[in-house]
Amino acid sequence: MTPDDALSALPRLRIETPSWGYGDSGTRFKTFAWPGAARDVWEKVADAAEIHRLTGCAPSVALHIPWDKTDDWPALARFAGEHGVEIGAINPNVFQDPDYKLGSVTNPDPRIREKAVDHLLECVGIMSMTGSRDLSLWFADGTNYAGQDDFRRRKGLMTEALRQVHAALPDGKRMLVEYKFFEPAFYFTDLFDWGAALVQCQACGPKAKVLVDLGHHAQGTNIEAIVAFLLDEGRLGGFHFNARRYADDDLIVGTTNPFELFCIFVETCGEGDIAYMIDQSHNIEPKMEAMLQSVLNCQEAFLKALLVDREALRHAQMTGDVLGAHRVLTDAFRTDVRPLLEEHRRRHGLPTDPIKTHRESGYAERKAQERGVALTGGGYPT
Ligand code: PSV
Ligand code: MN
């Protein structure tokens, strides 16, 4: 694509930010309170709106239930609208209640399975009130030891639960099924990879799509190939961005392996209805600046992917020019797109240097004054 065409296509990129990235969060060792971190869902939405104001490409915020529960969903949706953003994916939580020690929808106890499905259906109800399109499903279900439970029985229980949710989804809504090969279960997880998630989605119906989270793969997994396969099957529904050097660790996307991020966008940028979302919750970084950096890293990688000379790539591929084809990609990857991004921001009335503008705006300092040090806003245990 020419730089001009790439600039016209750039506004296609919309990245959702997660409410849980604005509250306090930590590791299992310590949560450090961040001065000014959002304390409730209203403050999280306001922070998400500020990120959108600065970037112009983060127009929605994902919620996690019950962390973000409110008794007036329409008021929250209105509040979001007044701040220039929408409520995005609804993420049920079937992993923190003590009942879920042995799993949620694949728990051996039918009473607990029913409780989990009820919560998922409650979240489908919330989607209607917030105007959300996607229900984003991740299960901590799994086992720790060989023999602990029966793989095939659990597979059937997962299908049964997902089908109930699929049947309850109104037209135009989707369910995104996220896989993860470890944690908190360490021997087996019920949705251990994209194949398991895809099979479950196919068993449910067309509203079920796979969600790929960058941090949920073994070292060395070729994630861009997974993305290509799922797109080809019409089943790639969403993508969670983060960076992980060792395992799922919530670091800022693009900081560990920017080339991988670029290669993923090379596969997705032309196609599909993919919900791109940041799934990070920062521990020692300034909350707002970390989120801003994450969105900007995605935008930069996306723009580079748009610049790939597809015709030259195809020609090199078809003529067996192995390194020529590779160089078509690296040429685009190596392009300094900062001047183009500045031009894009000028055209759209956005700050040309969003991080500088954020730093100079005093937003973080003002919020620190107003909100203080709370250690209450996150969903994770403190
Ligand atoms: C699980 O590790 C996950 O990636 C899921 O998307 C959750 O909803 C999210 O993190 C927040 O815990
Ligand atoms: Mn995720």
Side-chain angles (χ1 to χ4, degrees):
M1 216 179 249
T2 65
D4 238 22
D5 290 344
L7 277 190
S8 311
L10 188 56
R12 281 210 310 253
L13 181 70
R14 301 156 79 85
I15 310 230
E16 187 156 302
T17 65
S19 69
W20 53 99
Y22 298 105
D24 275 322
S25 61
T27 65
R28 63 199 166 101
F29 301 102
K30 173 71 181 163
T31 295
F32 298 101
W34 190 262
R39 294 164 298 182
D40 58 31
V41 65
W42 308 88
E43 292 181 353
K44 292 172 190 177
V45 169
D47 285 354
E50 178 67 7
I51 298 292
H52 181 48
R53 197 184 65 77
L54 291 162
T55 62
C57 67
S60 60
V61 53
L63 301 187
H64 222 296
I65 314 297
W67 300 341
D68 297 321
K69 212 161 185 176
T70 163
D71 44 24
D72 195 345
W73 293 110
L76 184 68
R78 264 197 316 279
F79 176 82
E82 284 157 15
H83 283 72
V85 287
E86 289 173 359
I87 304 296
I90 299 296
N91 292 247
N93 183 321
V94 282
F95 50 89
Q96 278 188 318
D97 190 289
D99 270 349
Y100 299 137
K101 189 163 88 178
L102 294 183
S104 62
V105 294
T106 62
N107 195 296
D109 182 342
R111 185 189 60 83
I112 294 172
R113 295 203 295 273
E114 197 183 322
K115 170 174 165 166
V117 170
D118 282 351
H119 174 62
L120 303 181
L121 297 177
E122 177 198 354
C123 287
V124 173
I126 292 173
M127 289 164 76
S128 304
M129 292 185 278
T130 53
S132 304
R133 181 189 56 166
D134 292 332
L135 182 72
S136 196
L137 300 170
W138 173 71
F139 300 93
D141 294 46
T143 60
N144 271 2
Y145 298 98
Q148 181 187 326
D149 206 348
D150 183 294
F151 297 133
R152 291 173 68 168
R153 193 177 58 82
R154 293 177 73 102
K155 172 172 175 277
L157 291 173
M158 177 62 75
T159 309
E160 207 178 287
L162 292 178
R163 278 187 174 152
Q164 287 179 67
V165 178
H166 192 276
L169 283 175
D171 285 346
K173 309 274 182 198
R174 313 186 306 173
M175 58 194 259
L176 308 180
V177 179
E178 184 173 0
Y179 59 90
K180 181 176 183 177
F181 78 116
F182 77 112
E183 197 200 40
F186 287 113
Y187 169 66
F188 163 75
T189 57
D190 284 275
L191 295 167
F192 49 90
D193 70 6
W194 68 277
L198 178 63
V199 165
Q200 293 291 3
C201 287
Q202 285 166 338
C204 287
K207 295 173 186 168
K209 309 273 180 192
V210 179
L211 189 152
V212 178
D213 183 313
L214 260 172
H216 292 188
H217 304 85
Q219 297 285 8
T221 303
N222 186 333
I223 299 172
E224 53 270 31
I226 296 173
V227 159
F229 268 57
L230 289 173
L231 268 174
D232 203 57
E233 291 295 318
R235 290 284 181 171
L236 181 64
F239 206 96
H240 277 179
F241 292 109
N242 44 53
R244 60 109 181 80
R245 180 176 286 279
Y246 304 108
D248 191 15
D249 56 17
D250 289 330
L251 299 186
I252 295 172
V253 59
T255 52
T256 303
N257 192 350
F259 188 63
E260 178 187 57
L261 181 62
F262 161 80
C263 288
I264 289 164
F265 278 124
V266 169
E267 297 304 326
T268 65
C269 69
E271 266 189 78
D273 196 355
I274 306 162
Y276 293 115
M277 312 179 221
I278 305 289
D279 185 7
Q280 299 168 194
S281 36
H282 310 102
N283 308 325
I284 58 165
E285 308 88 332
K287 300 263 159 212
M288 293 293 286
E289 199 171 315
M291 197 59 77
L292 196 49
Q293 186 72 63
S294 307
V295 171
L296 297 177
N297 285 358
C298 287
Q299 195 182 35
E300 189 175 312
F302 182 77
L303 180 53
K304 288 181 176 188
L306 289 174
L307 289 176
V308 169
D309 183 340
R310 302 274 167 173
E311 222 171 281
L313 181 63
R314 185 145 184 84
H315 179 74
Q317 289 171 345
M318 298 318 287
T319 54
D321 184 358
V322 176
L323 292 182
H326 177 65
R327 272 193 297 272
V328 173
L329 288 199
T330 54
D331 279 350
F333 178 66
R334 289 198 185 121
T335 311
D336 181 358
V337 292
R338 286 173 297 182
L340 270 180
L341 284 167
E342 272 189 27
E343 173 58 23
H344 161 79
R345 291 174 188 137
R346 255 193 302 276
R347 283 189 195 176
H348 293 270
L350 294 161
T352 49
D353 183 343
I355 294 204
K356 184 162 172 274
T357 302
H358 169 65
R359 285 198 159 195
E360 288 172 359
S361 74
Y363 184 91
E365 292 76 11
R366 260 193 328 277
K367 295 301 158 189
Q369 284 254 315
E370 280 168 37
R371 299 171 183 171
V373 184
L375 203 55
T376 55
Y380 294 96
T382 54

